[in-house]
Amino acid sequence: MNNYKHMETTKNLKESKQHCFSRHRIPSGCAVFGIVNESGKTFNGSMVLDGISMMHERSNGLGGGFAAYGIYPQFKEDWAFHIFYDGSISKSQTEDVLKENFKIIFYEEIPTKNKSFVKDPPNMYRYFLKLKNNFVDSGANKKKIDTDSRIDKDIIKEKEEDFIVDLVMKVNSNIKGAYIISSGKNMGIFKGIGYPEDIGQFYKIDDYSAYLWTSHGRFPTNSVGWWGGAHPFGLLNWSVVHNGEISSYGANKRFVDGFGYECTLSTDTEVVTYLFDLLVRKQKIDLSIIHLILASPLWEEIKKMPEDKREILKAFRIIYSGALMNGPFSIIAANSDFMYALNDRIKLRPMVAAKKGNFLFVSSEEAAIRKVCSSPDILWHPRGGEPVIGVVNKQNIKNK
Amino acid sequence: MALKLAQSEFEIERDSQKCISCQVCVRQCSNDVHEYDSDEDIIYSDNDKCVGCHRCENLCPTGAIKIKEKEAEFKKNYNWTSSHLRNIYKQADSGGIILTGMGCDKPYPVYWDHILFNAAQVTNPSIDPLREPMEIKTFIGRKPDKLNMEISKDKNGNTKIKLKTKIPPQLELSTPIMFSAMSYGSISFNACMSLAAAASKFGTFYNTGEGGLHEDLYGFVNNTIVQVASGRFGVDKNYLNKAAAVEIKIGQGAKPGIGGHLPGEKVTRDVSRTRMIPKGTDALSPAPHHDIYSIEDLSQLIYALKEATDYKKPVGVKISAVHNVAPIASGIVRAGADFITIDGFRGGTGAAPLVIRDNVGIPIELALASVDRRLREEGIRHKVSIIVAGSIRSSSDVIKAIALGADAAYIGTAALVAMGCHLCQKCYTGKCNWGIATQDPYLTKRLNPEIGTRRLLNLLHSWSLEKKEMLGGAGINAIESLKGSREHLRGIDLSEKELAILGIKHAGEAW
């Protein structure tokens, strides 16, 4: 029986990967929910689980997941990889790649509960890794690197991150049956096929403490689901959960493609993640103005703005026309510094936000927020294209 | 009477009961088809002279005239078609090259008609353009990789953005359609005036072609693209600066690889002034530019023009769609062009050898798809705007072109048709009965520039409305989100190879 089950899993992961690589896009409706404690105080996963469970009707059991930040304080300087395997071959192939490039500080099977909650989970492991190459030698055009200088540190950090992006993309597209689902530091993604409440219990997420949680319940329009295809989508510290269908997918894909991001999964979340990575991490565009690119104001609004602002908005639309996201979406993107929620510019998908003390909540439905916080200080429905940003005070995290 | 082997193409039917011998047809026909016999009070028509422009039929007050294509003039033969026979007879008569006008009319596949557009259902709501804004504003010009900016907070905590990157010059189009290059000389002043005024009123651009710029059109400077072609007619610093952009013409879709010839009869006083050549002399455009024999020469001309215009205007290059168009386009981007115009083999012309028009070049759909792919593969697509031309016949052709990767489309023939052209393909004779492709004052006054302008505005308006409907139906409210989104297209009745070149799936295949 066990054997049989294992074969099933193997088949599923392989098929679904091929399925995805054949560039099928699966539109889906969804529930999204995110909580951040802006003072950096951690709290366990039961709150997020409670919230997302309220929106059971918005998913259909074909995908659920969570992203959690601050969960691995003992390994906070190490790359934390969560990896799905379909069997031992893909595992050993992937581990060869890891060993070649990293010092493996620690690794283990991701702890899970009773498998009755879910169907056919793949084998899942997490690794805590230190890069062998420190990028000091190759940094900053061979000039002498001052490891204390902020600029040089940034260069080294960016090189390291580029290397990770490259490695993750290579493993995910080249090693059959292996899929890296999260690749950040002091964060992790837990996801799979099932309702989010089942997935949450399966991964025992109330055992983890994080200062930022996002979650997702999926309602895809196809019947085939695969564990790696569930949300959140992750890359480096990024995680993205998304409700909607991006009708500008082709244009966005072309845009990130021009900067070397290969969209192998053909999912909206993938391209959204790359857009964030490109604009925020690579091009260093301030978070507070990203929405002016991703969900730019309409021309008729731009027309009414004062001239200096108008010229800037016009420049955004000219240069970043390929980064404009069109069609219905409500997304929550997060990394270790912030949670960022955004609706499409004519608000074709629901999104509610609320604050209570240091907590910021973003949800597809108000009910989920009310479930975990019955009397928020403020609760509002962000307008289309108006971001909700919760910035984490990292100082507090360091001091802890 | 000399031996006459070629037979007439058209047959003129006159209903004698309806005809009132008013002689409108006699006066309207510049080809002298109709002749009034005052003794008998009857009008005779000569089928041989008819070009099929339908002017008389349209203007006959009693509807007495019908122009019909003549059937079965030769014994039916699928190999030796009547057009082959007619051409051979003509050549045996004259010993010359057969000339023609407008675009190729041969039944090559029209790929636009084998491409279907998408619409949103359930998972993605369609957007109603009558209720929601639908944005089709388009920018033509070079785009930098990124914007550098300085972000600061003012004392009220508001974010202040200061751009540090200088945006290269851009053309701002209220709709992704412009009027193709058509020279003063090949078309009448009134036609040029109509194009210029319509472009200006609608917020788009017209192109002077290679015929220089008439002084009376200087006022449309903000909506004018001037062309620099191999003949360099009318080109001086003033000309370059009386425009919003400059286009170097290397080739034309209807006649790739060859130059142009405006016969001396068309070089009237005004045309001679505008082109800066003596009155009555033939205006010959050489096949190549005599200072461009390689891509680096082209680069020099691009930068010479940028210098002359102080880097304030986009400088583009127009090429015809030929087999090697993708690498050529790549070279042009690297040579510094801000936009590339690709003219497909079905594009129109005022005069071209028939053999060239009907046999040289490739369809714009395939050329566009492969240029866009090549530039993307090389990571330089965003550096340049692509304008397509060469038989864009409807708003859906424009939408499909944009989804295939174009930034905007040029329309030439469609604009002429809007002004009355009936595609008789005799532009090179200078006898256009519709007053468009002629310099004969008796004929040119038939096109009232105010009416021409209004009709062109109506065309732009209706196509723009239709595009908005199609965009909204697909759940998109900004045209830039459609650009290059080939996922929105499906092929029908196409081979694997054709689909692969177009980069689209076959109808019936989901995402």
Side-chain angles (χ1 to χ4, degrees):
Chain A
M1 181 63 203
N2 250 346
N3 230 345
Y4 169 72
K5 204 159 187 191
H6 181 72
M7 274 173 63
E8 271 280 276
T9 314
T10 311
K11 194 173 138 261
N12 263 356
L13 196 61
K14 271 191 182 156
E15 260 187 12
S16 43
K17 261 192 95 169
Q18 280 158 4
H19 178 72
C20 282
F21 291 135
S22 71
R23 296 181 184 264
H24 280 242
R25 271 177 76 223
I26 309 296
S28 54
C30 302
V32 295
F33 187 59
I35 314 173
V36 58
N37 184 304
E38 292 180 301
S39 70
K41 205 172 147 251
T42 59
F43 52 99
N44 81 19
S46 58
M47 198 198 291
V48 71
L49 190 57
D50 238 16
I52 192 79
S53 306
M54 273 307 281
M55 298 186 282
H56 182 86
E57 296 294 317
R58 301 189 69 86
S59 20
N60 65 355
L62 289 177
F66 301 82
Y69 292 82
I71 52 173
Y72 299 132
Q74 67 276 38
F75 298 111
K76 66 179 182 195
E77 296 305 324
D78 307 321
W79 292 103
F81 280 19
H82 288 188
I83 308 183
F84 285 170
Y85 296 121
D86 66 352
S88 52
I89 298 170
S90 54
K91 181 165 178 276
S92 71
Q93 282 176 337
T94 309
E95 286 180 349
D96 286 347
V97 175
L98 296 182
K99 279 176 200 154
E100 193 185 312
N101 295 289
F102 300 94
K103 197 174 145 208
I104 300 176
I105 307 295
F106 179 72
Y107 86 99
E108 63 176 351
E109 200 165 349
I110 297 177
T112 54
K113 223 180 192 169
N114 190 338
K115 294 210 165 91
S116 67
F117 282 102
V118 294
K119 196 169 162 269
D120 302 335
N123 304 332
M124 34 189 101
Y125 286 82
R126 60 186 170 202
Y127 301 80
F128 299 94
L129 311 159
K130 272 201 194 325
L131 263 175
K132 282 184 179 167
N133 182 349
N134 63 9
F135 292 96
V136 172
D137 304 337
S138 56
N141 301 328
K142 288 181 188 158
K143 82 171 167 48
K144 197 176 170 325
I145 295 282
D146 174 2
T147 42
D148 289 334
S149 118
R150 198 177 58 78
I151 293 171
D152 285 354
K153 262 188 180 165
D154 281 353
I155 292 169
I156 294 165
K157 183 165 172 272
E158 193 178 323
K159 280 192 176 293
E160 237 186 85
E161 289 168 340
D162 287 348
F163 177 81
I164 299 288
V165 170
D166 209 39
L167 184 127
V168 171
M169 285 189 177
K170 268 189 199 135
V171 169
N172 287 352
S173 49
N174 297 345
I175 300 182
K176 219 175 165 184
Y179 190 68
I180 303 177
I181 61 161
S182 70
S183 51
K185 286 181 176 177
N186 198 9
M187 62 81 69
I189 287 170
F190 305 91
K191 63 181 180 181
I193 299 175
Y195 282 99
E197 53 270 32
D198 297 335
I199 295 294
Q201 293 195 50
F202 173 66
Y203 281 108
K204 301 192 280 190
I205 63 158
D206 42 5
D207 287 356
Y208 297 92
S209 275
Y211 54 84
L212 192 166
W213 288 91
T214 67
S215 60
H216 188 257
R218 191 158 180 253
F219 196 137
T221 49
N222 66 328
S223 53
V224 211
W226 70 294
W227 280 65
H231 296 193
F233 181 85
L235 181 73
L236 296 174
N237 281 338
W238 292 110
S239 68
V240 173
V241 291
H242 158 236
N243 166 23
E245 182 182 329
I246 295 180
S247 48
S248 56
Y249 175 78
N252 301 144
K253 184 179 130 190
R254 275 165 69 94
F255 182 72
V256 296
D257 190 57
F259 295 92
Y261 294 87
E262 197 192 340
C263 292
T264 52
L265 289 176
S266 305
T267 62
D268 292 345
T269 23
E270 182 189 31
V271 81
V272 173
T273 308
Y274 297 161
L275 281 171
F276 272 94
D277 191 55
L278 173 68
L279 298 177
V280 179
R281 184 177 70 86
K282 299 288 288 180
Q283 297 203 349
K284 307 208 175 358
I285 299 175
D286 199 87
L287 195 64
S288 62
I289 59 169
I290 288 295
H291 64 287
L292 300 174
I293 291 172
L294 297 176
S296 154
L298 297 160
W299 281 116
E300 59 183 42
E301 293 162 7
I302 295 173
K303 208 164 64 186
K304 294 175 200 150
M305 293 175 178
E307 199 192 331
D308 52 339
K309 208 170 166 194
R310 194 168 62 220
E311 286 310 304
I312 286 160
L313 267 291
K314 193 169 151 185
F316 283 177
R317 292 206 64 171
I318 294 172
I319 309 305
Y320 291 110
S321 60
L324 171 71
M325 296 198 293
N326 221 306
F329 66 82
S330 83
I331 51 169
I332 307 175
N335 72 15
S336 47
D337 299 321
F338 58 82
M339 179 170 86
Y340 186 94
L342 185 68
N343 251 161
D344 64 87
R345 53 202 198 136
I346 54 173
K347 192 139 178 149
L348 294 167
R349 285 288 152 101
M351 178 180 285
V352 190
K355 279 201 95 157
K356 174 87 178 178
N358 288 323
F359 282 100
L360 171 72
F361 304 90
V362 177
S363 172
S364 294
E365 292 180 14
E366 187 178 332
I369 298 176
R370 296 280 180 191
K371 178 81 196 308
V372 298
C373 173
S374 57
S375 51
D377 301 337
I378 42 165
L379 181 141
W380 75 102
H381 296 82
R383 295 169 63 93
E386 178 190 295
V388 177
I389 309 173
V391 178
V392 181
N393 188 338
K394 292 291 277 249
Q395 207 54 43
N396 291 358
I397 300 172
K398 270 187 198 149
N399 292 344
K400 264 178 54 185
Chain B
M1 193 180 153
L3 174 67
K4 187 182 139 267
L5 295 173
Q7 299 178 27
S8 50
E9 285 178 75
F10 301 96
E11 204 166 6
I12 299 153
E13 268 183 21
R14 182 185 298 274
D15 186 334
S16 56
Q17 288 197 309
K18 285 186 184 168
C19 180
I20 52 170
S21 298
C22 66
Q23 300 177 54
V24 164
C25 50
V26 178
R27 286 188 298 275
Q28 288 296 324
C29 185
S30 62
N31 300 300
D32 303 328
V33 169
H34 309 288
E35 200 178 332
Y36 178 60
D37 186 327
S38 54
D39 297 341
E40 294 184 49
D41 187 30
I42 196 168
I43 297 171
Y44 294 102
S45 301
D46 181 352
N47 289 348
D48 285 355
K49 290 178 179 165
C50 180
V51 299
C53 80
H54 296 266
R55 177 83 185 177
C56 56
E57 185 180 341
N58 273 253
L59 267 73
C60 176
T62 59
I65 303 174
K66 243 184 213 155
I67 308 292
K68 283 184 162 176
E69 199 157 356
K70 203 169 155 189
E71 283 171 27
E73 54 189 298
F74 302 104
K75 184 173 164 58
K76 202 159 195 120
N77 189 320
Y78 282 103
N79 186 32
W80 292 97
T81 60
S82 48
S83 69
H84 280 120
L85 298 188
R86 201 177 289 120
N87 290 342
I88 291 173
Y89 292 140
K90 274 191 208 164
Q91 290 182 308
D93 276 349
S94 69
I97 287 175
I98 295 179
L99 282 182
T100 187
M102 303 315 287
C104 171
D105 59 5
K106 293 283 171 283
Y108 291 108
V110 179
Y111 286 96
W112 302 129
D113 297 340
H114 290 265
I115 297 176
L116 298 168
F117 192 62
N118 193 28
Q121 298 285 289
V122 187
T123 55
N124 178 354
S126 44
I127 304 168
D128 187 344
L130 297 176
R131 290 160 192 271
E132 304 276 354
M134 201 52 67
E135 305 185 318
I136 54 172
K137 193 192 278 288
T138 299
F139 292 88
I140 301 293
R142 186 166 273 255
K143 318 280 191 290
D145 290 356
K146 59 181 279 196
L147 282 178
N148 290 316
M149 48 199 137
E150 251 172 36
I151 311 279
S152 57
K153 297 261 186 210
D154 66 10
K155 53 183 182 291
N156 300 324
N158 295 323
T159 308
K160 276 267 182 217
I161 309 168
K162 201 173 157 222
L163 289 184
K164 291 168 79 183
T165 307
K166 197 173 175 300
I167 311 278
Q170 307 282 328
L171 299 182
E172 184 177 330
L173 281 58
S174 68
T175 189
I177 306 170
M178 300 188 285
F179 297 128
S180 236
M182 288 177 279
S183 69
Y184 174 45
S186 75
I187 58 171
S188 67
F189 176 80
N190 285 356
C192 291
M193 180 73 182
S194 305
L195 292 164
S200 156
K201 283 200 174 122
F202 205 83
T204 182
F205 296 81
Y206 84 103
N207 189 313
T208 60
E210 56 176 311
L213 180 61
H214 194 284
E215 272 176 23
D216 292 354
L217 299 176
Y218 282 0
F220 300 107
V221 47
N222 294 327
N223 302 87
T224 305
I225 300 174
V226 290
Q227 218 176 40
V228 174
S230 60
R232 302 285 154 88
F233 298 120
V235 178
D236 63 4
K237 192 157 193 280
N238 181 42
Y239 171 75
L240 298 175
N241 284 304
K242 285 284 182 264
V246 183
E247 183 178 82
I248 298 169
K249 176 191 174 183
I250 299 293
Q252 186 176 339
K255 41 180 174 177
I258 66 166
H261 178 187
L262 186 72
E265 303 87 79
K266 272 186 158 181
V267 182
T268 58
R269 193 182 62 94
D270 255 17
V271 171
S272 108
R273 265 173 65 94
T274 308
R275 293 210 175 204
M276 303 176 188
I277 53 169
K279 188 179 158 205
T281 56
D282 288 3
L284 292 165
S285 302
H289 285 245
H290 285 322
D291 52 359
I292 301 179
Y293 280 77
S294 66
I295 194 83
E296 56 272 25
D297 293 345
L298 174 67
S299 187
Q300 283 191 9
L301 180 60
I302 290 172
Y303 282 97
L305 293 170
K306 286 188 178 190
E307 287 287 337
T309 52
D310 209 12
Y311 293 85
K312 284 185 178 143
K313 302 175 200 298
V315 175
V317 177
K318 175 177 178 173
I319 49 170
S320 39
V322 291
H323 304 336
N324 210 26
V325 65
I328 295 166
S330 164
I332 292 172
V333 182
R334 292 169 201 288
D338 300 317
F339 63 90
I340 300 180
T341 304
I342 313 167
D343 196 10
F345 85 133
R346 282 189 304 267
T349 175
L354 184 78
V355 65
I356 302 281
R357 187 196 74 172
D358 289 353
N359 295 286
V360 180
I362 62 170
I364 185 60
E365 303 91 320
L366 303 180
L368 165 61
S370 57
V371 167
D372 180 71
R373 179 184 299 112
R374 171 65 76 102
L375 298 188
R376 267 187 294 131
E377 281 167 3
E378 296 183 9
I380 53 176
R381 174 63 187 88
H382 64 285
K383 289 188 190 297
V384 74
S385 297
I386 295 180
I387 306 165
V388 290
S391 198
I392 301 290
R393 306 156 304 162
S394 64
S395 56
S396 63
D397 288 356
V398 180
I399 283 284
K400 290 169 188 174
I402 288 169
L404 273 182
D407 289 86
Y410 264 137
I411 57 169
T413 302
L416 298 184
V417 171
M419 289 190 282
C421 167
H422 276 57
L423 283 171
C424 73
Q425 310 187 13
K426 291 287 187 289
C427 328
Y428 60 96
T429 63
K431 289 183 177 176
C432 177
N433 277 325
W434 294 92
I436 301 167
T438 177
Q439 301 305 324
D440 179 346
Y442 180 70
L443 299 173
T444 57
K445 69 180 179 199
R446 293 180 182 180
L447 177 66
N448 177 331
E450 273 170 35
I451 295 171
T453 305
R454 197 173 67 218
R455 296 186 64 83
L456 289 167
L457 280 173
N458 284 341
L459 181 75
L460 290 173
H461 185 67
S462 59
W463 282 23
S464 299
L465 285 178
E466 288 176 347
K467 277 183 298 189
K468 290 177 179 184
E469 287 287 345
M470 290 182 83
L471 276 182
I476 299 171
N477 63 8
I479 194 107
E480 54 257 51
S481 296
L482 177 67
K483 197 172 82 186
S485 259
R486 299 189 190 186
E487 287 80 358
H488 284 295
L489 303 176
R490 288 292 182 274
I492 188 147
D493 198 17
L494 293 177
S495 69
E496 287 289 339
K497 191 74 190 171
E498 288 164 318
L499 291 169
I501 293 168
L502 290 167
I504 61 175
K505 291 196 170 79
H506 200 275
E509 287 184 278
W511 277 332

